[in-house]
Amino acid sequence: MGASPAPRVLGLVTIRPYTTADASRLHAAVEESIATVGRWLPWCHPGYQLADAQAWIADAPGLWNVGLDYRFGIFDSESHELLGGVGINRIVREHAMGNLGYWVRRSAIGKGVAPLAATLAARFGLTDGSLERLEIVIPLGNTASQRVAEKLGAHFEG
């Protein structure tokens, strides 16, 4: 809870909280990924507007400060290109648990981005976020996301 952390780096991936300057890059990444990400995440649809990206980013600090939602952009550590998003939401403080979620833009799929970013976010949640358990909810048939969860050491529960 409290102030946003410094960027976290693992290999060629950096995660950090979004800033208002990221809105147009987030919008472009979502637009590029409607056919891939949109299949699994309902917010990623053809009607997604720049205002949606701006609102997502604007809401983040308030939710962060009360420990309800930690949103990170995923960036290439060298080019600083926005590669996707990762975060922890649906936090239940009385059970010290939250939901770890991730998505990667179409052009970055298959490059190992999601496991690296999810590792960084999980480390944050289990240390700075004071959580003891992270869940990853994956729709049936989303084998790519399931593989990411397996690489993180997650265990299938049903």
Side-chain angles (χ1 to χ4, degrees), residues 11 14 27 31 37 39 41-42 54 66 75 86 92 97 101 104 108-109 129 131 154 156-157:
T14 298
H27 178 247
E31 279 192 320
V37 176
R39 180 173 177 202
L41 300 173
Q54 291 166 329
V66 295
F75 299 87
V86 63
V92 181
M97 64 179 289
V104 176
I109 290 173
L131 301 175
F156 182 74
E157 291 187 354

Side-chain angles (χ1 to χ4, degrees), residues 91-117:
I91 295 171
V92 181
R93 285 282 161 205
E94 55 269 22
H95 299 293
M97 64 179 289
N99 180 38
L100 175 65
Y102 41 83
W103 68 276
V104 176
R105 73 184 304 154
R106 184 180 48 83
S107 60
I109 290 173
K111 297 181 180 177
V113 171
L116 293 173

Side-chain angles (χ1 to χ4, degrees), residues 58-70:
D59 287 345
L63 296 168
W64 187 292
N65 288 337
V66 295
L68 291 178
D69 191 323
Y70 303 119

Side-chain angles (χ1 to χ4, degrees), residues 126-141:
L126 296 170
T127 57
D128 299 322
S130 301
L131 301 175
E132 296 175 11
R133 178 181 172 86
L134 295 172
E135 295 182 337
I136 303 170
V137 179
I138 302 171
L140 289 174

